[in-house]
Amino acid sequence: MLDSAAKALFHLLAQSKTLQLLASRLGMERQGSVVHRFVPGETIESAIRAARILESRGLTETFDHLGESVTTLDEAVAATREYLAVIRAIAEAGVERNISLKLTQLGLDVDRASAVDNLRKILELAEPAGFFVRIDMESSRYTDVTLDVFETIWQQGSRRIGVVLQSDLRRSENDLRRINALGARIRLVKGAYREPKSVAYPKKADVDAAYARMMKVLITDGNYPAIATHDPVMIEQTRQWASANNVAPDRFEFQMLYGIRRDLQAMLVASGYRVRVYLPFGTDWFPYFMRRLGEHPANVAFVVRGVFAEDHQ
Ligand SMILES: Cc1cc2nc3c(=O)[nH]c(=O)nc-3n(C[C@H](O)[C@H](O)[C@H](O)COP(=O)(O)OP(=O)(O)OC[C@H]3O[C@@H](n4cnc5c(N)ncnc54)[C@H](O)[C@@H]3O)c2cc1C
């Protein structure tokens, strides 16, 4: 994990509309682009190709059509239409029926009711087709509204949806009790956003300790939880806790991001665990890419080396 100043820098860059525009103009379809390590491509076809490779290795995936923070209702409607097309393409290709999305991509910042309508449209197509739909968690500004929308949709009878809780937020252990009481599926993460001390633990040791506590509750009392981390210590603790409590490996899954700790992904599959890879694709890859750089210093060196190599090809 980078220190908070560096994390802040990458979050600032991620929000830059100018850089985002430049990145999307430059594109990433060029062979050898360093972005490919984390995002297999801009089209659903490229994501489906990557999914087939993952599945041939015993992994599963969740597709994320990249996009967030849309600022007009037209953009939100367009994003919803794109998701519907993505669902049809996945169903036609016969790969894993599992998608992840963000409420701000569906217009949450513009109008909450419209975002909920857009989510419903997606669920109306996805659920009968056997898809699972995960609502990603964004920054703490959106925690309340995301959980409220999730709970409303759940109370209305949707069951093939799940949500995400972040162990860096002080509130999350309470949220875990609330969502677990519904019997809903939770993905546990450490949290990718830069948060103020008032709402989040500033020290990594506290984020990790909260992660371990929440993991234990989820493994023993959760409904098919997703333990989403690349942290070998957390993964080992999960394995030990599950085995000590006689929780079989098919009652939970590990999740990791595309291109990150592929060695661990393969090791877990070989040891009989389920591993789902978060598979992002689309032209709007810039903020996602910046968050991955902000998480891990070695990625910056990787990108710098890659750009240097590209310049000399
Ligand atoms: C499937 C999945 C879905 C996610 N969904 C959300 C979400 O909805 N909302 C949200 O806020 N966050 C989400 N995240 C991101 C998460 O919050 C963390 O920011 C991210 O996973 C890094 O934390 P870590 O648990 O891997 O542990 P860390 O302690 O940060 O890292 C442990 C080790 O993992 C490796 N590693 C971690 N990150 C990287 C990286 N970027 N590049 C290379 N190596 C790395 C390194 O070896 C590092 O030492 C998701 C993560 C995963 C795996």
Side-chain angles (χ1 to χ4, degrees):
M1 219 183 237
L2 278 184
D3 65 30
S4 58
K7 207 173 176 184
L9 172 68
F10 282 100
H11 278 265
L12 210 64
L13 293 176
Q15 284 156 20
S16 159
K17 290 287 170 211
T18 316
L19 282 180
Q20 201 163 334
L21 197 68
L22 186 69
S24 65
R25 289 229 176 106
L26 285 174
M28 59 167 290
E29 291 300 331
R30 189 163 52 118
Q31 278 302 313
S33 161
V34 287
V35 184
H36 277 162
R37 164 75 188 274
F38 305 101
V39 181
E42 294 188 339
T43 61
I44 180 61
E45 289 75 23
S46 58
I48 288 172
R49 271 196 301 278
R52 290 198 205 284
I53 295 172
L54 294 171
E55 290 183 11
S56 73
R57 295 179 183 153
L59 298 146
T60 55
E61 65 279 340
T62 179
F63 291 88
D64 169 29
H65 185 228
L66 290 165
E68 53 197 272
S69 309
V70 306
T71 49
T72 67
L73 284 183
D74 284 350
E75 282 177 304
V77 168
T80 306
R81 229 182 275 127
E82 283 167 22
Y83 249 107
L84 297 175
V86 162
I87 289 167
R88 290 191 192 99
I90 293 171
E92 189 155 316
V95 289
E96 179 79 1
R97 298 184 178 200
N98 193 306
I99 57 173
S100 293
L101 49 78
K102 291 182 173 51
L103 291 181
T104 62
Q105 187 177 12
L106 306 184
L108 189 63
D109 277 330
V110 192
D111 175 44
R112 174 176 167 161
S114 304
V116 173
D117 279 351
N118 290 335
L119 176 61
R120 281 211 187 88
K121 280 189 195 118
I122 290 173
L123 289 169
E124 275 163 21
L125 181 67
E127 286 197 300
F131 276 75
F132 183 79
V133 179
R134 177 81 61 180
I135 304 177
D136 285 346
M137 189 55 85
E138 303 178 68
S139 76
S140 60
R141 260 181 72 200
Y142 301 103
T143 314
D144 268 327
V145 64
T146 303
L147 294 180
D148 285 351
V149 167
F150 174 76
E151 216 172 330
T152 306
I153 298 273
W154 179 272
Q155 303 295 7
Q156 289 168 353
S158 279
R159 287 296 175 269
R160 301 193 64 82
I161 53 167
V163 75
V164 179
L165 294 178
Q166 299 151 323
S167 75
D168 65 342
L169 298 190
R170 299 175 194 275
R171 58 176 286 166
S172 288
E173 288 179 73
N174 281 332
D175 292 333
L176 174 59
R177 277 188 280 279
R178 167 178 162 198
I179 304 297
N180 237 1
L182 300 174
R185 278 166 61 173
I186 296 171
R187 173 200 292 155
L188 177 62
V189 301
K190 290 189 186 175
Y193 297 85
R194 182 175 171 254
E195 301 289 359
K197 283 182 190 159
S198 52
V199 300
Y201 301 113
K203 290 194 192 128
K204 183 172 177 357
D206 292 327
V207 176
D208 289 350
Y211 193 99
R213 288 194 300 273
M214 292 172 73
M215 173 277 286
K216 288 177 178 173
V217 175
L218 281 170
I219 291 293
T220 39
D221 292 325
N223 174 17
Y224 196 70
I227 307 301
T229 181
H230 315 89
D231 182 344
V233 177
M234 292 300 143
I235 289 170
E236 187 48 34
Q237 282 192 28
T238 306
R239 294 175 63 164
Q240 285 182 10
W241 182 257
S243 127
N245 289 279
N246 296 317
V247 176
D250 62 356
R251 289 194 25 222
F252 63 95
E253 65 184 29
F254 289 108
Q255 293 191 351
M256 295 191 208
L257 301 175
Y258 182 80
I260 298 183
R261 293 306 308 256
R262 288 170 287 195
D263 56 334
L264 263 184
Q265 298 174 14
M267 182 278 284
L268 286 168
V269 169
S271 313
Y273 291 95
R274 295 181 173 189
V275 182
R276 187 179 304 280
V277 173
Y278 189 95
L279 187 53
F281 68 96
T283 50
D284 200 5
W285 46 265
F286 186 73
Y288 176 88
F289 183 56
M290 284 294 123
R291 278 198 293 278
R292 301 298 75 86
L293 297 190
E295 267 158 10
H296 194 59
N299 289 344
V300 181
F302 168 78
V303 168
V304 171
R305 275 200 311 275
V307 170
F308 186 77
E310 284 173 16
D311 282 350
H312 291 78
Q313 270 170 7

